[in-house]
Amino acid sequence: MNFVKESLINAAPEIVFEFHELPDAVERLIPPWENVEVVQKADISKVGSRAIFKQKYWGFTVSTWVAEHTKYDPPKMFEDTQISGPFKYWVHRHIIEKDGSRGSILRDAIEYEVPFSYLGMAATPFFVLPKLEKMFEYRHRVTKQWCETK
């Protein structure tokens, strides 16, 4: 399955990429309604660097997500791949393209496969997609705000 979120940001690709390299970028991009603990941050500039997150509900850890940075091509893109976590498969490409004189297009392109076979696929339109849409709407808004006021 594929999920794509695109936004126009009125800033150069270098600025948009710079945001993602901030030491606290991952914390800025976690929506306030998500109960996620950052156990270990990754350095996106180092292929092989890993980030570890714990998702909690009612005080209990329900999933641990390990993502490894697998590509780094500033200021065009970087990529992370789930090593372990809630999905069967997850590759996330953060793509930044120049958009003429107006700025940049930020594109989050995710290839994923949900667990639980047909049950997981049946639940995707009701649970997975709405969560991804809400989360990436937030992430793009935060990125846009930082980049356009820098």
Side-chain angles (χ1 to χ4, degrees), residues 54-116:
K54 289 188 182 219
Q55 178 79 48
K56 297 183 176 195
Y57 289 105
W58 303 293
F60 297 99
T61 298
V62 294
S63 88
T64 300
W65 190 316
V66 179
E68 182 175 298
H69 285 276
T70 48
K71 292 183 183 171
Y72 178 73
D73 184 16
K76 298 175 188 171
M77 74 87 91
F78 66 99
E79 175 186 273
D80 50 84
T81 301
Q82 176 189 281
I83 301 301
S84 64
F87 289 86
K88 266 179 96 168
Y89 176 80
W90 175 280
V91 175
H92 180 183
R93 289 176 191 87
H94 310 253
I95 302 162
I96 303 160
E97 297 175 343
K98 194 170 190 169
D99 181 51
S101 62
R102 297 187 300 162
S104 304
I105 300 282
L106 171 60
R107 179 180 306 115
D108 282 287
I110 301 165
E111 295 175 38
Y112 68 95
E113 188 176 338
V114 294
F116 310 120

Side-chain angles (χ1 to χ4, degrees), residues 126-140:
F126 305 103
F127 298 104
V128 177
L129 282 178
K131 184 170 181 156
L132 288 175
E133 288 166 357
K134 185 176 178 186
M135 179 182 303
F136 281 92
E137 181 64 36
Y138 175 85
R139 292 175 67 134
H140 280 227

